[in-house]
Amino acid sequence: MALVTIHDEGRTLTDSKAITEYLAGFGIDYEKWIPAHPVADDASAEQILEAYSGDIDKLKARGGYVTADVIDVSPQTPGLDEMLAKFNREHWHDEDEVRFIISGHGLFHIHAQSGPVIGIEVEAGDLIRVPRGTRHWFNLCADRRIRAIRLFQDTAGWTPQYTDSGVDEKFMPMCFGVSHLPYNVPISS
Ligand SMILES: [Fe+2]
């Protein structure tokens, strides 16, 4: 289950339907996907893509995505910190950023054009689509682990364009998880 935090408004969303509706207001798609059949923890990329092929094909048709792959990041990934440093500063892409989380956790921050900065914690079963041109940044959570399906319109367009706004420095790259919500944050669902 995802966790959405709107820091400026001091509120947190935990309900999938509320999250989908709220993020849609900023052009961001959020969905829950269920595999066609159970997928083992050590499933290969091919097995994962096959298990979710129905949802992937629908999304491809909707968003003009031509390829899908599986990215695997863990504390053992060589050059992990260098890789993360490319994405933890505010940037945008010429192409949508589409991620479906298979395992692990991640924290997106979205800096909407006319709206607040939105923190979106994602975990297994969460699909997020950040439209091209949307300012955002990404951090791993404490487990430093994420396995995710990515969809691309054209991989050549998926280069970070940095804003150097410094906005990202105002937000803690910290994941709370639904079971660790701070007591003083009102929960709406
Ligand atoms: Fe990005």
Side-chain angles (χ1 to χ4, degrees), residues 4 16-31 59 62 65 96-99 108-113 116-120 122 127-136:
V4 166
S16 291
K17 191 163 172 284
I19 290 172
T20 299
E21 288 175 1
Y22 179 77
L23 294 180
F26 300 97
I28 298 160
D29 289 346
Y30 171 75
E31 299 174 6
L59 201 57
R62 214 167 82 204
Y65 309 109
D96 296 353
E97 186 160 323
V98 187
R99 300 288 181 270
F108 286 89
H109 276 97
I110 306 291
H111 185 185
Q113 210 63 40
V117 171
I118 306 162
I120 309 170
V122 291
L127 178 283
I128 182 169
R129 185 189 69 91
V130 180
R132 65 181 74 186
T134 304
R135 295 171 296 181
H136 66 280

Side-chain angles (χ1 to χ4, degrees), residues 3-6 9-14 181-182 185-189:
L3 180 67
V4 166
T5 306
I6 308 117
E9 300 171 14
R11 64 190 181 112
T12 302
L13 306 176
T14 57
L181 284 174
V185 176
I187 302 170
S188 57
S189 60

Side-chain angles (χ1 to χ4, degrees), residues 28-44:
I28 298 160
D29 289 346
Y30 171 75
E31 299 174 6
K32 297 292 289 181
W33 281 5
I34 298 166
H37 50 78
V39 183
D41 288 344
D42 60 352
S44 67

Side-chain angles (χ1 to χ4, degrees), residues 91-158:
H91 64 274
W92 52 276
H93 308 276
D94 284 329
E95 149 139 22
D96 296 353
E97 186 160 323
V98 187
R99 300 288 181 270
F100 172 73
I101 315 305
I102 301 293
S103 59
H105 301 83
L107 173 62
F108 286 89
H109 276 97
I110 306 291
H111 185 185
Q113 210 63 40
S114 53
V117 171
I118 306 162
I120 309 170
E121 282 184 45
V122 291
E123 63 177 21
D126 293 327
L127 178 283
I128 182 169
R129 185 189 69 91
V130 180
R132 65 181 74 186
T134 304
R135 295 171 296 181
H136 66 280
W137 62 95
F138 176 81
N139 298 97
L140 285 177
C141 297
D143 57 1
R144 288 167 67 83
R145 166 101 179 94
I146 197 160
R147 194 173 198 202
I149 296 173
R150 308 186 294 184
L151 282 92
F152 298 99
Q153 287 142 335
D154 174 2
T155 51
W158 202 73

